[in-house]
Amino acid sequence: MKRALIVTDVQNDFCEGGSLPVDGGARVAADIGTVLRAWAAGGPGAPAYDHVVATKDHHVDPGDHWAREPDYAESWPVHCKVGTDGEAFHPNLDPQPFDAIFLKGEHAAAYSGFEGRTVDGRALADWLKAHDVGAVDVCGIATDYCVRATTLDAVRSGFDTRLLLGLCAGVDPETTAAAVAEMEAAGAHLG
């Protein structure tokens, strides 16, 4: 069975200094970057992935998802706006190794990477299945939002799913702990 790494939303706006920062985001970007460099170099001890892919928040006009006075539950400050530096991958994360990038949320709220599509319109689940992937590892930002949604959808889509908790950053300790418990209860393994 082939295994893929899904890197979730490691973007400038979700790291320190961004419009919707998560503490530890830049560190997670650097740590994932280290994993990707080892994977790309291959050799003994390299991570055993057949593919590495990424998701990105990619907002054009997501309607009520953006608000002047966000409630930080259903509405948020402007973030990951297409054409801005905030939408770009964090500089600690070199996107060169990615086999595909899945963009989500152009005109509506989107949390799960499984809502995303490549620029040529391929959905994440379809892409993984076309590449004979049966197992996925999920990492990125934020544990209690987009990582949670992506992990739960990976399980629902039938993938053997592992959450790489050490390569994630969460918004709030309480909601992160609740999200981890929910992902485990749904069938995700912790790695």
Side-chain angles (χ1 to χ4, degrees), residues 44-150:
Y49 295 115
D50 297 288
H51 299 285
V52 293
V53 299
T55 69
K56 286 177 81 175
D57 253 24
H58 185 78
H59 298 309
V60 175
D61 181 9
D64 294 342
H65 186 60
W66 284 347
R68 285 182 183 217
E69 295 182 25
D71 63 15
Y72 295 93
E74 300 296 324
S75 62
W76 308 91
V78 172
H79 62 278
C80 300
K81 184 176 183 177
V82 172
T84 67
D85 189 52
E87 191 250 350
F89 287 114
H90 190 277
N92 289 345
L93 179 74
D94 178 5
Q96 298 284 339
F98 294 135
D99 293 312
I101 297 170
F102 298 86
L103 309 174
K104 59 188 177 68
E106 285 88 346
H107 298 285
Y111 294 91
S112 172
F114 285 84
E115 297 174 78
R117 298 194 174 276
T118 60
V119 292
D120 62 357
R122 297 207 56 199
L124 176 56
D126 295 339
W127 191 97
L128 293 169
K129 289 174 183 175
H131 288 84
D132 299 319
V133 172
V136 296
D137 287 357
V138 182
C139 63
I141 305 170
T143 313
D144 36 352
Y145 289 93
C146 294
V147 169
R148 172 193 162 275
T150 300

Side-chain angles (χ1 to χ4, degrees), residues 5-10 14-16 22-33 35 137-151 161-172 176-177 179-180 183 188-191:
L5 175 66
I6 302 173
V7 178
T8 308
D9 298 1
V10 182
F14 297 137
C15 295
E16 294 83 351
V22 176
D23 286 342
R27 175 196 51 79
V28 162
D31 292 347
I32 294 171
V35 169
D137 287 357
V138 182
C139 63
I141 305 170
T143 313
D144 36 352
Y145 289 93
C146 294
V147 169
R148 172 193 162 275
T150 300
T151 300
T161 306
R162 182 169 54 189
L163 173 66
L164 301 180
L165 203 50
L167 295 177
C168 294
V171 172
D172 175 84
T176 296
V180 170
M183 289 182 272
H189 313 285
L190 297 185

